[in-house]
Amino acid sequence: MAASMDSTPARATAAADRTAAVRPRRPWLRAAGWAASVAILAATTALLRDRMGAVGDAGGLPGVVPSSVAVVTYVIANLLLADTWWRVVALAGSSIGRGDAIWVWAVSQLARYTLSAAQVGGRAVIGRRYGLTATAGAVTTLVEIGWQTAITALLVLVTLPWWLPGSDDLRWLAVVGIVPVGALVVGLVAPRTLLRLVASALDLGPLARLTGGRAVDVAERVRLDRGHAAAFTLRFALNTALRLVAFGALFLAVGGDLPTTGLLALGAYAAGQLVGRIAVFAPGGIGPREGVTALLLAPALGGGPALVLVAATRLLEVVGELAFFGIARFVRGRGATGG
């Protein structure tokens, strides 16, 4: 997807950004990159072992076929997200091969198991090896996270009548969900306004050091119109739908009944996802996400099956991410610069 640039000064700024992105890396930066990669893989391996133990304690995986369906579906969903991110990056005026973008996305996605939202900094840093500026990597990742959160929040609000009764402690979640849904509406009606807000967020906190104050310039260069916004919304909605297919397959395997409790399951899944995203203290939302979903499903599904469901969902999601990581390693191009 091609990007439109605003003016000659904007093009000059973009060229300067790309030039900065391909400068040779210093030895200590290369060492730091290797250390970060080891930390990411160690954290993911530890999580995988922990989730395997949790699934075993809960009663084991709910069947080979539904588990396989879930893993394959997660891999497809990850490919869709990685490809969408590549398109967002292209719209921002940056150049990176699709294979390289898939690799950067796959590595940085695992980084969120080390620190909450670490994929933002991960794509900012790793993307520099492939010609992206830190600003482009961070801004586009925030766009992805924000869009997905908005769609999840919309599901939370739509399914309120099914998951809210008897869950008074979670009423605050309905209020919180209004904010990202409002952002989604702004994104569809006035997408450039939303992009400026996202870019401004990068001038706050530690990410400001990565962007060097260039986030606002990137926002001004991008010609994100309503057509693009609608197309990206459909892509992120499809990603959510695919993940719901995986969750639904596991839900049925543990004894769930879609005609009677399907909407409750949908709301429980969305509520857990939203809590996991805003639980900044929990890397990858581990714990809060599963806890909320199990809490909402236990009355209808039973405590044991609900625990099996949430434990298996997380385990197979991680397996899918690792499988996608392996695929991304083979499709990666040779575009890395500066080692």
Side-chain angles (χ1 to χ4, degrees), residues 123-177:
R123 284 184 218 172
V125 174
I126 300 171
R128 288 179 64 85
R129 296 190 62 196
Y130 296 88
L132 292 183
T133 63
T135 304
V139 170
T140 52
T141 307
L142 283 179
V143 168
E144 175 187 297
I145 294 174
W147 234 304
Q148 291 185 91
T149 301
I151 291 172
T152 300
L154 181 61
L155 287 178
V156 167
L157 297 181
V158 168
T159 57
L160 270 176
W162 289 271
W163 67 263
L164 187 57
S167 306
D168 292 341
D169 292 343
L170 292 175
R171 286 183 180 275
W172 61 271
L173 193 59
V175 177
V176 170

Side-chain angles (χ1 to χ4, degrees), residues 2-288:
S4 298
M5 312 303 281
D6 290 341
S7 62
T8 300
R11 286 194 294 270
T13 302
D17 283 351
R18 285 192 290 270
T19 300
V22 298
R23 287 173 183 166
R25 301 173 75 203
R26 296 169 183 163
W28 70 268
L29 284 176
R30 182 180 302 179
W34 277 106
S37 299
V38 171
I40 290 171
L41 291 177
T44 306
T45 301
L47 173 63
L48 186 64
R49 294 174 62 182
D50 178 72
R51 293 300 90 190
M52 290 176 64
V55 169
D57 293 340
L61 287 173
V64 174
V65 173
S67 297
S68 300
V69 169
V71 171
V72 172
T73 305
Y74 285 134
V75 170
I76 295 172
N78 289 334
L79 177 59
L80 174 64
L81 276 183
D83 183 73
T84 302
W85 179 68
W86 173 70
R87 292 169 185 269
V88 174
V89 168
L91 190 65
S94 298
S95 177
I96 182 174
R98 179 176 288 181
D100 291 336
I102 290 174
W103 169 249
V104 172
W105 188 94
V107 176
S108 60
Q109 193 70 0
L110 293 175
R112 76 189 194 283
Y113 295 130
T114 60
L115 292 172
S116 183
Q119 68 266 42
V120 179
R123 284 184 218 172
V125 174
I126 300 171
R128 288 179 64 85
R129 296 190 62 196
Y130 296 88
L132 292 183
T133 63
T135 304
V139 170
T140 52
T141 307
L142 283 179
V143 168
E144 175 187 297
I145 294 174
W147 234 304
Q148 291 185 91
T149 301
I151 291 172
T152 300
L154 181 61
L155 287 178
V156 167
L157 297 181
V158 168
T159 57
L160 270 176
W162 289 271
W163 67 263
L164 187 57
S167 306
D168 292 341
D169 292 343
L170 292 175
R171 286 183 180 275
W172 61 271
L173 193 59
V175 177
V176 170
I178 296 174
V179 176
V181 171
L184 178 61
V185 173
V186 173
L188 290 171
V189 176
R192 289 178 62 78
T193 297
L194 179 62
L195 187 61
R196 290 190 186 99
L197 291 174
V198 172
S200 296
L202 285 175
D203 287 331
L204 303 174
L207 287 177
R209 296 177 62 86
L210 287 173
T211 64
R214 293 186 297 270
V216 175
D217 291 337
V218 169
E220 291 302 322
R221 289 200 305 265
V222 176
R223 286 293 190 183
L224 180 65
D225 58 29
R226 293 178 183 176
H228 292 137
F232 289 138
T233 299
L234 288 176
R235 280 177 160 265
F236 287 124
L238 178 56
N239 163 69
T240 299
L242 287 169
R243 294 177 190 279
L244 283 170
V245 167
F247 183 77
L250 298 173
F251 175 73
L252 290 173
V254 299
D257 183 60
L258 288 179
T260 59
T261 56
L263 289 174
L264 170 62
L266 174 60
Y269 172 86
Q273 290 286 326
L274 185 56
V275 169
R277 289 187 185 280
I278 62 181
V280 295
F281 58 87
I286 301 168

